[in-house]
Amino acid sequence: MSAPEIYDLAVVGAGPAGLGAAVSAAAEGVKTAVIEAQTPGGNAVASRVVRNYPGFPQGISGAELAARLYEHAQALRATFLLSSRVVGLSAGARDRQLALADGRTVSARAVVIATGVTPRRLGIASLDGLSGAGVWYADAITDPATFTGEEVFIVGATEAAGLAAIQLAKFAGNVTLVVRASAMDAGVSDALIKQIDRTRNIRVRTNTQVVEGFGEGRLEGVKLRHRVSGTLEAARTRALFVMLGAEPNTGWLKASLPCDADGYVVTGVRAPSMLETSMPRVFAAGDVRQGAVRTVASAIVEGALVSTMARRSLSEAAETEVGAAISPGP
């Protein structure tokens, strides 16, 4: 039997950060493997439009941008292992090993972790079926002007939800914040609450839940239920943002690398590489990383940057090995 293939770089996750890393590395001739449990694109495919990615002055949908990155990486001969779930990470003397759920092991000289996050959902089938077609799961609104004149609903009571309401109110006809509790979260600043109260086209619906969505092919409206009275109400809308936060996809990593209290990968432990983890030649990029800017464009750029850092670490490791090989013995 032939020896198992060893890659220069293994990228775990084919969302925008992982695809950005793969394109950047493969373009430099780095032997690259991308391991993805589902399909390429990650949460980017649900982005209605990305307007801050260079080269697309009219904007581009997240799905199309992810598809182009995937095609680009394939054209540069990056290897994709799709429907492959990573369940463990360990360090050998020279390589890093990634254990897959099917029993295989992928070995690489360096690793980029770009597994992203899973948005918290409402658990309502009628809304999940319209994800990306009027229903979005997000931490921030990247292009509020695209909702000019629309009726927009936001589910969430956090600071991020409040800031999104303020942004959208500059363009939307009306913005409704749907809050399950009797008030916004305790962590929301008084200044933001006062700003929301002063904004004439923002309405805060407390003690209220979204219980259903309806529409043919895209969202056309939602049903609301008042938690105290039990009253049901239908409301027309073509835009619902669910802003309940997200869970980083790091359950498989916590035994190998430090993560913060919320599960995000901690980087910058080993200076000078701000994107390197505590394990040498293992990096993190995109939403899964503690302190990341969670937008599609930022994730792609961070992926390209982490690829450069990984290539540098590989060069340094190779120089060390050569030096050790030619150094005179005792």
Side-chain angles (χ1 to χ4, degrees), residues 209-242:
Q209 293 173 271
V210 173
V211 294
E212 189 179 341
F214 54 88
E216 294 295 328
R218 69 160 292 118
L219 183 70
E220 296 174 11
V222 295
K223 286 185 179 179
L224 307 172
R225 182 176 71 85
H226 193 274
R227 297 181 64 235
V228 177
S229 67
T231 303
L232 287 172
E233 173 189 346
R236 289 283 177 182
T237 181
R238 293 172 61 84
L240 171 68
F241 288 91
V242 180

Side-chain angles (χ1 to χ4, degrees), residues 14 34-40 70 80-86 100-104:
V34 183
I35 308 168
E36 170 56 53
Q38 299 180 43
T39 56
Y70 176 50
F80 281 84
L81 305 176
L82 302 180
S83 300
S84 298
R85 184 166 59 90
V86 179
L100 305 187
D102 62 8
R104 291 179 296 163

Side-chain angles (χ1 to χ4, degrees), residues 152-166 168-169 174-181 183-185 188 192-193 195-197 199 201-210 224 240-243:
V152 181
F153 281 69
I154 300 173
V155 176
T158 62
E159 185 98 359
L163 289 171
I166 295 294
L168 284 162
N174 292 287
V175 178
T176 301
L177 271 167
V178 181
V179 178
R180 178 185 173 90
M184 297 287 284
D185 288 354
V188 179
L192 179 57
I193 290 175
Q195 189 176 3
I196 291 171
D197 290 341
T199 306
N201 60 336
I202 297 179
R203 184 183 182 189
V204 181
R205 297 283 303 269
T206 57
N207 291 312
T208 303
Q209 293 173 271
V210 173
L224 307 172
L240 171 68
F241 288 91
V242 180
M243 306 186 75

Side-chain angles (χ1 to χ4, degrees), residues 15 19 27 29 32 51 67 70 72 101 147 153 186 205 216 253:
L19 292 172
T32 303
R51 292 192 183 274
Y70 176 50
H72 194 173
F147 299 93
F153 281 69
R205 297 283 303 269
E216 294 295 328
L253 265 180

Side-chain angles (χ1 to χ4, degrees), residues 85-201:
R85 184 166 59 90
V86 179
V87 295
L89 166 69
S90 59
R94 296 182 58 190
D95 307 322
R96 306 292 172 257
Q97 285 83 45
L98 293 163
L100 305 187
D102 62 8
R104 291 179 296 163
T105 298
V106 175
S107 298
R109 302 295 305 281
V111 171
V112 171
I113 299 163
T115 46
V117 299
T118 299
R120 297 189 185 102
R121 296 180 177 248
L122 293 170
I124 300 170
S126 58
L127 291 176
D128 289 342
L130 295 171
S131 180
V135 179
W136 294 279
Y137 300 86
D139 289 327
I141 309 299
T142 57
D143 193 20
T146 61
F147 299 93
T148 297
E150 294 193 29
E151 298 284 330
V152 181
F153 281 69
I154 300 173
V155 176
T158 62
E159 185 98 359
L163 289 171
I166 295 294
Q167 287 180 296
L168 284 162
K170 297 175 183 177
F171 303 95
N174 292 287
V175 178
T176 301
L177 271 167
V178 181
V179 178
R180 178 185 173 90
S182 59
M184 297 287 284
D185 288 354
V188 179
S189 68
D190 289 340
L192 179 57
I193 290 175
K194 289 178 181 177
Q195 189 176 3
I196 291 171
D197 290 341
R198 290 196 303 264
T199 306
R200 61 172 182 78
N201 60 336

Side-chain angles (χ1 to χ4, degrees), residues 269-309:
V269 179
R270 288 168 32 85
S273 180
M274 64 179 180
L275 299 180
E276 192 173 22
T277 69
S278 61
M279 186 181 292
R281 301 200 306 278
V282 176
F283 303 80
D287 290 2
V288 76
R289 187 180 68 81
Q290 181 191 55
V293 177
R294 295 187 176 93
T295 67
V296 173
S298 297
I300 296 170
V301 171
E302 191 163 289
L305 176 61
V306 81
S307 169
T308 300
M309 293 179 177

